[in-house]
């Protein structure tokens, strides 16, 4: 909002409606003319028997919300050399004087003033036809209307400052009124790199034994355009894609690994009981061996869940054991097993003539799975059923069909697949 008179006019509308429908006058307008004015009390409305005056006489900042809209983006000052404070809404409290003056009858003054105060009492919260501040404006906005209790001395000095005789007066405070900036600073540029700093830990009892640091994977997918998108992911998330599909190999970041070490996958049931499975033979990606000289910090381990793995989507851990050290076990690092979306024919996916979209997947469970178009989540139905708008189904855990919601705007919407709270790599965008 940029116009304070909107507040005054909204309050005047409340007063006018109350006077014209008051039970004091039998539910209709009064038998004398009343003007509801927002002018300075010195300026009479003219042509009416009684004037009800609502005058904005004081404005002050609201100290409770003064810094509530601070943003990092605003600190740059935006364009045009504006200072950061220019992008924060101005939070104000407004003080009004409510008084009445009749030409010849104190009864008219007091009747009108009483009706006005009762109307304000019934409207402790007032809606304004303006939105709340950016960046998430909501219309209408709301303010509160409070009857203040100034002292007689304060009111006397106020009327003396106006140069007018003292009148019967009620004082009201309207809070909080936002004078919003016309625009916001441009958004901050996207993050291009992340640095992770950690505190040192106690040195291992035997520095020759492996120590796991994390899992790391390079994610590579195609955006509409088309355009390639590459980023590093740690901890890693991988999926049991078909053998001919690349991109699911991840590295076990560690120190002092040897070729003969074994990798074990750790899963937990609902009671927190751990189960370990040796996945060395099925997950380890062969490297050129032997090394001419073993690396001083250990050999690299590349891993990938095989296409026929029975490991369902979810969150797991990896540990390492050494056959030459019976009973020894390394620390654990996290790894997520994700569902997989077949990107074939993508990245844009179009519907059939019946409005049905179809694409291949892997590792989609019968429960705990969700499908989204952008941020809109679809409703899952029974396997094999024909989806209506806003519904999806998965046949045999390998083929998903869905229909877009009816109110979804036209455009390309990313298909998001999540199983057991693990997200599949981006692969397809539905053309709506």
């Amino acid at each position: 909002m940029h116009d304070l008179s909107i507040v005054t006019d909204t309050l005047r509308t409340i007063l006018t409606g109350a006077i014209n429908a008051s039970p004091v006058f039998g539910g209709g307008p009064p038998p004398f003319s009343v003007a509801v004015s927002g002018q300075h009390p010195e300026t009479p409305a003219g042509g009416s028997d009684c004037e009800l005056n609502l005058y904005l006489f004081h404005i002050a900042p609201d100290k409770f919300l003064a810094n509530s809209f601070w943003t990092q983006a605003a600190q740059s000052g935006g364009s045009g050399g504006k200072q950061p404070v220019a992008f924060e809404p101005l939070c104000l409290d407004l003080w009004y004087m409510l008084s009445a003056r009749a030409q010849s009858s104190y009864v008219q003054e007091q009747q009108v003033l009483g009706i006005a105060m009762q109307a304000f009492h019934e409207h402790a919260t007032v809606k304004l036809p303006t939105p709340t501040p950016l960046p998430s404006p909501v219309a209408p906005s709301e303010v509160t209307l409070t009857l203040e209790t100034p002292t007689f001395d304060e009111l006397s000095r106020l009327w003396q400052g106006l140069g007018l005789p003292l009148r019967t007066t009620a004082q009201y405070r309207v809070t909080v009124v936002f004078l919003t900036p016309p625009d916001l600073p441009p958004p901050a540029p996207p993050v291009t790199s992340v640095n992770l700093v950690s505190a040192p830990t106690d040195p291992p009892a035997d520095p020759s034994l492996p120590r796991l640091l994390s899992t790391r994977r390079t994610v590579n997918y195609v955006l509409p355009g088309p355009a390639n998108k590459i980023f590093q992911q740690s901890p890693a998330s991988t999926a049991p894609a078909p053998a001919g599909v690349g991109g699911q190999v991840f590295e076990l970041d560690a120190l002092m690994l040897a070729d003969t070490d074994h990798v074990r996958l750790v899963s937990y049931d609902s009671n927190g009981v751990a189960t370990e499975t040796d996945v060395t033979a099925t997950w380890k990606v062969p490297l050129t061996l032997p090394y001419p000289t073993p690396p001083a910090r250990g050999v690299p381990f590349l891993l990938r869940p095989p296409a026929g793995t029975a490991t369902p989507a979810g969150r797991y851990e990896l540990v390492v054991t050494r056959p030459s050290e019976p009973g020894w076990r390394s620390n654990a690092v996290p790894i997520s097993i994700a569902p997989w979306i077949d990107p074939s024919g993508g990245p844009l996916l179009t519907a059939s003539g019946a409005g049905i979209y179809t694409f291949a997947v892997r590792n989609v469970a019968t429960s705990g799975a969700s499908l989204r178009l952008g941020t809109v989540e679809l409703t899952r139905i029974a396997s094999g059923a024909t989806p209506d708008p806003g519904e999806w189904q998965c046949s045999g855990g390998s083929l998903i069909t869905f229909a877009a919601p009816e109110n979804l705007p036209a455009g390309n919407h990313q298909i998001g697949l999540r199983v057991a709270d693990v997200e599949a790599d981006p692969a397809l965008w539905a053309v709506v």
Side-chain angles (χ1 to χ4, degrees):
M1 183 176 73
H2 308 288
D3 186 357
L4 288 178
S5 68
I6 294 175
V7 182
T8 304
D9 288 341
T10 301
L11 298 178
R12 288 178 61 239
T13 299
I14 293 174
L15 297 177
T16 301
I19 291 172
N20 290 332
S22 173
V24 174
F25 309 116
F32 51 88
S33 59
V34 179
V36 180
S37 172
Q39 292 288 111
H40 190 284
E42 186 181 23
T43 305
S48 61
D49 299 321
C50 180
E51 177 186 357
L52 181 64
N53 185 267
L54 181 68
Y55 177 58
L56 176 60
F57 74 93
H58 181 60
I59 303 175
D62 188 282
K63 59 184 178 181
F64 300 105
L65 292 178
N67 298 315
S68 296
F69 296 89
W70 186 94
T71 61
Q72 181 64 51
Q75 304 313 300
S76 64
S79 59
K82 292 182 179 180
Q83 297 181 8
V85 72
F87 299 103
E88 300 179 14
L90 182 57
C91 308
L92 300 176
D93 293 344
L94 311 183
W95 271 264
Y96 284 90
M97 295 170 50
L98 181 66
S99 61
R101 181 180 64 174
Q103 300 289 344
S104 57
S105 172
Y106 71 89
V107 174
Q108 294 177 357
E109 289 181 357
Q110 294 176 15
Q111 286 178 330
V112 170
L113 192 59
I115 294 170
M117 294 183 67
Q118 179 63 28
F120 278 173
H121 178 69
E122 295 171 355
H123 290 79
T125 301
V126 179
K127 295 184 182 295
L128 299 178
T130 58
T132 55
L134 299 170
S136 301
V138 177
S141 58
E142 292 184 349
V143 295
T144 58
L145 183 61
T146 308
L147 177 62
E148 297 288 293
T149 55
T151 64
F152 179 76
D153 186 55
E154 289 173 337
L155 282 177
S156 297
R157 290 199 307 269
L158 180 58
W159 281 102
Q160 185 178 5
L162 296 174
L164 297 171
L166 177 65
R167 299 181 193 167
T168 304
T169 309
Q171 184 173 305
Y172 286 88
R173 176 167 58 95
V174 177
T175 184
V176 173
V177 175
F178 297 106
L179 295 186
T180 55
D183 51 27
L184 292 178
V191 175
T192 57
S193 64
V194 177
N195 295 324
L196 180 63
V197 179
S198 60
T201 60
D202 294 334
D206 186 349
S208 67
L209 293 176
R211 180 152 49 98
L212 306 188
L213 304 178
S214 183
T215 53
R216 178 163 44 91
R217 173 174 163 245
T218 300
V219 182
N220 188 339
Y221 63 93
V222 180
L223 291 163
N228 284 338
K229 180 73 173 180
I230 301 175
F231 65 91
Q232 295 293 322
Q233 184 186 65
S234 181
S237 173
T238 184
V245 175
Q248 298 299 328
V249 175
F250 67 96
E251 181 176 350
L252 182 58
D253 234 350
L255 300 175
M256 309 312 295
L257 282 176
D259 285 323
T260 55
D261 290 338
H262 286 208
V263 180
R264 302 180 71 87
L265 182 71
V266 184
S267 61
Y268 295 89
D269 63 17
S270 58
N271 297 319
V273 178
T275 300
E276 293 189 7
T277 305
D278 193 324
V279 295
T280 310
T282 55
W283 284 42
K284 191 175 180 181
V285 177
L287 297 175
T288 302
L289 298 175
Y291 298 101
T293 303
R297 294 169 62 88
V299 300
F301 263 44
L302 298 182
L303 303 170
R304 168 181 173 152
T309 183
T311 307
R315 301 189 186 278
Y316 299 84
E317 292 178 347
L318 292 178
V319 297
V320 168
T321 59
R322 179 161 286 182
S324 61
E325 298 284 342
W328 179 84
R329 186 175 179 278
S330 75
N331 62 300
V333 291
I335 181 68
S336 294
I337 305 298
W340 178 74
I341 298 176
D342 187 349
S344 301
L348 295 180
L349 181 68
T350 57
S352 66
I356 301 297
Y357 298 81
T358 303
F359 62 96
V361 293
R362 287 199 176 201
N363 219 21
V364 177
T366 56
S367 63
S370 63
L371 188 73
R372 303 183 317 278
L373 289 187
T375 59
V376 180
E377 185 166 339
L378 307 186
T379 301
R380 187 171 188 175
I381 58 176
S383 175
T386 301
D388 290 327
E391 296 179 342
W392 72 283
Q393 66 88 26
C394 183
S395 299
S398 61
L399 190 68
I400 285 180
T401 58
F402 71 90
E406 293 179 335
N407 58 349
L408 198 67
N412 301 330
H413 299 267
Q414 182 183 338
I415 298 174
L417 177 62
R418 179 178 287 260
V419 179
D421 204 32
V422 180
E423 189 82 12
D425 287 353
L428 298 174
W429 278 255
V431 181
V432 178

